[in-house]
Amino acid sequence: MEAAPDALNPATTETRKGTPAVRAAKDIAFGSAAGIASKFLEHPFDLTKVRLQAQVLDASARFKGPLDCLSQTFKKEGIRGLYRGLPAPIVGAMVENAALFLSYGELQNAVRWASGTQTTQALSLPQLALAAAGAGAITSTLLTPIELVKCKMQVQMLISPSIPPTVLASSTSIPLSAAATATLPPSSAAAAAASLRALPGPLEIITSIYRQFGLRGFWLGHTGTLIRETGGSAAWFSTKEFVASLLIARSPPSLDSSVSRRRRDLKSWESAFSGACAGASYNLALFPADTVKSTMQTEAELRPGSQQGRSFWAVGKEMWAKQGLRGLYAGCGITIARSIPSSAIIFCIYDGLMTRFG
């Protein structure tokens, strides 16, 4: 396959300034800034996605679809409910994008070294996809604990409101079932209302997970995150690079025909458009892995009577038997809808910062 334009490789010496340490610091800072900005836009849709995924194994669905989920959440929980669990995704966005962009650039250098390619030579799209897949695999290890806390917070309001705050705070993994709470005395009504205001925060959830399962417990669902991030990142970066290369190729030549457009010459709308295409491609093929991951990470809260500690493949098999392909793609539509503008924002900000300061 023909190599992508040199401009699309952020690790080349012609498009990056400073020492390796300076370039790494820029990747971390610019990636973090882009990730934070995108989360404020996409979080309500991510919350909807997780809640739709979490109901696949329920006997009866709580929500008819994404719009119904958004509507019910807003009516019952208000704007605050739509942003339930936001601190964890903010941290996750900083970690994810910083790690992705940093690893992506460094792994491109590793691919060049392994293939004997010169530092200034462009990589082919398959080579870029390989570097991106490696970056996704690295990022998944850092991201899984953050996503675990985020998912648990996003389904807290779906747990029976009759659970006393003390129970919620002391154990996020063993809530009372609806049948059990039906036997509580009438005086528990006040406790039920208080529980909605006293839901455990991220630090309490982290403490509970560590107390019950140790460090290993934070990587519940890691297989799903690994599959999603490895394949998704390869699709994300390679789609961005490919679309951007097409936009560069179709542009009129500069006054000096000996100088071709480079990545830093991308207009804002070009970065946004290629990023939007990347966002759509990220989710399509490997979305079922994310569905299984979300189900595993919320099963203790929503189905306390079910068997815990099952493998990724066992949960996936049960979900397939329950609702087939439709269940594995629960929430996919709204996820793609939010990933398109979110990814556009990420690359627009990242490329803009790299053009100005990189």
Side-chain angles (χ1 to χ4, degrees):
M1 180 177 290
E2 188 175 326
D6 181 66
L8 303 182
N9 295 280
T12 58
T13 57
E14 291 185 8
T15 60
R16 302 297 301 276
K17 302 175 183 177
T19 64
V22 171
R23 295 198 299 269
K26 289 177 180 178
D27 277 329
I28 293 173
F30 299 165
S32 297
I36 291 172
S38 70
K39 278 302 169 187
F40 283 99
L41 168 70
E42 71 173 55
H43 187 74
F45 305 100
D46 183 67
L47 179 140
T48 301
K49 182 257 308 184
V50 171
R51 291 186 173 187
L52 290 174
Q53 291 174 329
Q55 71 176 9
V56 172
L57 294 181
D58 288 346
S60 59
R62 296 177 176 87
F63 310 108
K64 299 176 182 178
L67 294 180
D68 181 53
C69 183
L70 278 171
S71 176
Q72 286 197 44
T73 301
F74 182 73
K75 288 179 181 178
K76 297 177 181 178
E77 306 170 38
I79 191 69
R80 184 177 180 181
L82 291 175
Y83 283 90
R84 181 71 189 163
L86 181 61
I90 288 291
V91 175
M94 294 174 63
V95 172
E96 180 179 18
N97 287 280
L100 272 176
F101 284 107
L102 175 61
S103 302
Y104 182 49
E106 294 307 313
L107 286 174
Q108 286 183 66
N109 289 332
V111 170
R112 286 190 178 86
W113 175 81
S115 61
T117 305
Q118 294 182 357
T119 305
T120 57
Q121 186 174 342
L123 296 178
S124 65
L125 282 177
Q127 289 174 317
L128 291 172
L130 177 62
I138 293 171
T139 302
S140 70
T141 303
L142 304 174
L143 195 59
T144 300
I146 298 171
E147 292 226 339
L148 175 65
V149 175
K150 179 206 73 172
C151 287
K152 287 183 178 297
M153 292 192 69
Q154 288 178 330
V155 299
Q156 283 177 329
M157 297 297 288
L158 303 184
I159 303 171
S160 173
S162 298
I163 303 174
T166 53
V167 175
L168 283 168
S170 63
S171 175
T172 60
S173 299
I174 314 178
L176 299 178
S177 66
T181 57
T183 62
L184 292 175
S187 60
S188 65
S195 69
L196 298 180
R197 299 190 299 270
L199 290 169
L203 292 181
E204 292 171 293
I205 292 176
I206 291 170
T207 301
S208 176
I209 294 171
Y210 181 74
R211 184 170 58 246
Q212 295 180 63
F213 308 108
L215 287 176
R216 183 179 180 181
F218 290 103
W219 277 269
L220 174 66
H222 177 63
T223 300
T225 311
L226 175 65
I227 295 172
R228 184 197 71 190
E229 289 296 314
T230 301
S233 295
W236 196 53
F237 278 111
S238 59
T239 299
K240 163 62 166 60
E241 307 286 15
F242 177 70
V243 175
S245 70
L246 294 180
L247 293 173
I248 286 179
R250 67 177 287 276
S251 64
S254 61
L255 295 177
D256 183 355
S257 59
S258 64
V259 179
S260 61
R261 288 185 70 199
R262 300 167 300 171
R263 175 179 180 153
R264 65 176 59 255
D265 297 321
L266 281 173
K267 299 179 177 66
S268 295
W269 75 266
E270 292 174 325
S271 290
F273 179 76
S274 54
C277 294
S281 68
Y282 174 90
N283 289 290
L284 281 174
L286 298 172
F287 189 82
D290 182 70
T291 303
V292 177
K293 185 271 303 177
S294 295
T295 300
M296 293 178 68
Q297 292 179 333
T298 59
E299 196 165 36
E301 284 73 24
L302 300 181
R303 285 171 295 279
S306 62
Q307 180 184 354
Q308 304 297 314
R310 294 177 298 164
S311 69
F312 173 86
W313 308 109
V315 174
K317 184 178 180 180
E318 182 182 351
M319 296 180 74
W320 174 265
K322 186 81 173 182
Q323 292 193 27
L325 195 62
R326 180 181 179 182
L328 292 174
Y329 275 89
C332 183
I334 195 168
T335 301
I336 293 177
R338 61 96 172 169
S339 68
I340 289 174
S342 173
S343 185
I345 289 173
I346 289 174
F347 278 109
C348 188
I349 292 176
Y350 181 84
D351 286 347
L353 290 171
M354 193 60 69
T355 296
R356 186 173 180 84
F357 303 107

